[in-house]
Amino acid sequence: MELFSYCIGLIGAKRERPTEDLLSELIAARFDDGSALSDAELSSFAAVLLIAGHDTVTNLLANALHDLLAHPEQLAALRRDPSLVGAAVEEALRFRGSAMTTVNRVATEDIEAGGVTIRKGELVRFLLNAANRDTEVRADPHSFDIGRATAQHVAFGMGPHFCLGQRLARQEATIALTEILQRFSTLELAVPADEVRWLPSDAIRGPVELPLRYAR
Ligand code: HEM
């Protein structure tokens, strides 16, 4: 609620004094019939963008660092050939995506899936991280390998609601990983990898904290 009222305040301020940004553009935007988005729609859009864009990327970065540091041979390969960073981001998304269960759908008719009948109107939550480790899709889904031929995954969902921010997220993760590895010549986990505690969330996958040791 605090976030929504913050957004409403922000929208009011930008309505009076537009700035060069997405919110001001959305406030000024008009439908074909001349109508505009309401304050409720604008604030909900702003809050979703903030939450969807922040928690996900932050945790993806932590997950990527965790998995690279827990697999030193993969980290060494990336340090040897920094052009692998894009592949490392894709493998990080596949191996431990940060949005675990963001995709919710309602069945529009009775369907059979995996021997279960899902009735029309029932809610289905997709476990994206489980799908990304499907043994029917690849033989070794539980190994973290930035050199795999195809790291095809569904970490950004699928269909008409496919993540709006996936290009931004990929770019943020690529830039951050590149900078971190360049800036710190040594980087290691300060606790054993299996002692890292994970967020008690069924939506976001990421560590509670990621203790690191490094030298510049
Ligand atoms: C690693 C980062 C990210 C992950 C793993 C992620 C994942 C997802 C997933 C799984 C969905 C649901 C897709 C579906 O229902 O089929 C989604 C939707 C969405 N994401 Fe992301 N996301 C990330 C970053 C971002 C960023 C940076 C933004 C914006 C700044 C963003 C904005 C959105 C929005 C607005 C939607 C709703 C799209 C719709 O319903 O049409 N996401 N994201």
Side-chain angles (χ1 to χ4, degrees):
M1 292 315 289
E2 255 178 63
L3 180 59
F4 274 91
S5 44
Y6 164 77
C7 289
I8 292 205
L10 195 63
I11 287 158
K14 287 190 185 288
R15 204 185 282 291
E16 271 180 27
R17 229 179 247 257
T19 37
E20 268 189 37
D21 53 41
L22 181 64
L23 263 189
S24 303
E25 294 235 358
L26 286 172
I27 293 166
R30 294 291 174 266
F31 292 103
D32 290 345
D33 65 1
S35 65
L37 290 167
S38 67
D39 272 11
E41 287 166 329
L42 286 166
S43 62
S44 147
F45 199 163
V48 165
L49 268 182
L50 197 62
I51 297 166
H54 177 251
D55 259 3
T56 50
V57 180
T58 312
N59 285 293
L60 172 66
L61 241 186
N63 294 350
L65 278 176
H66 172 276
D67 292 323
L68 282 167
L69 297 172
H71 298 88
E73 77 296 344
Q74 300 293 312
L75 179 61
L78 180 55
R79 282 201 186 275
R80 265 196 314 275
D81 180 2
S83 74
L84 287 175
V85 66
V89 168
E90 293 309 308
E91 179 66 347
L93 281 159
R94 184 198 71 80
F95 190 72
R96 206 186 303 270
S98 48
M100 273 195 294
T101 50
T102 316
V103 176
N104 297 326
R105 298 288 188 267
V106 176
T108 52
E109 55 189 65
D110 288 1
I111 42 170
E112 288 283 330
V116 176
T117 306
I118 301 166
R119 302 255 170 244
K120 180 179 175 178
E122 283 181 347
L123 177 70
V124 182
R125 299 197 83 190
F126 291 85
L127 280 166
L128 300 178
N129 288 17
N132 285 337
R133 294 203 187 184
D134 189 341
T135 44
E136 285 179 19
V137 176
R138 47 178 73 75
D140 58 344
H142 301 300
S143 68
F144 180 77
D145 177 4
I146 65 170
R148 63 172 70 243
T150 162
Q152 211 184 0
H153 58 73
V154 289
F156 290 115
M158 72 291 290
H161 293 282
F162 185 64
C163 176
L164 188 76
Q166 52 89 18
R167 282 178 192 271
L168 175 62
R170 286 177 153 128
Q171 205 162 16
E172 286 178 304
T174 302
I175 294 169
L177 260 190
T178 304
E179 286 292 319
I180 289 169
L181 296 184
Q182 263 174 18
R183 208 168 293 185
F184 303 110
S185 57
T186 71
L187 194 61
E188 55 186 19
L189 286 172
V191 295
D194 56 7
E195 282 181 23
V196 170
R197 287 176 305 126
W198 299 93
L199 291 170
S201 161
D202 69 350
I204 287 284
R205 184 65 166 161
V208 174
E209 58 184 11
L210 193 66
L212 300 176
R213 222 179 281 127
Y214 58 85
R216 277 173 185 270

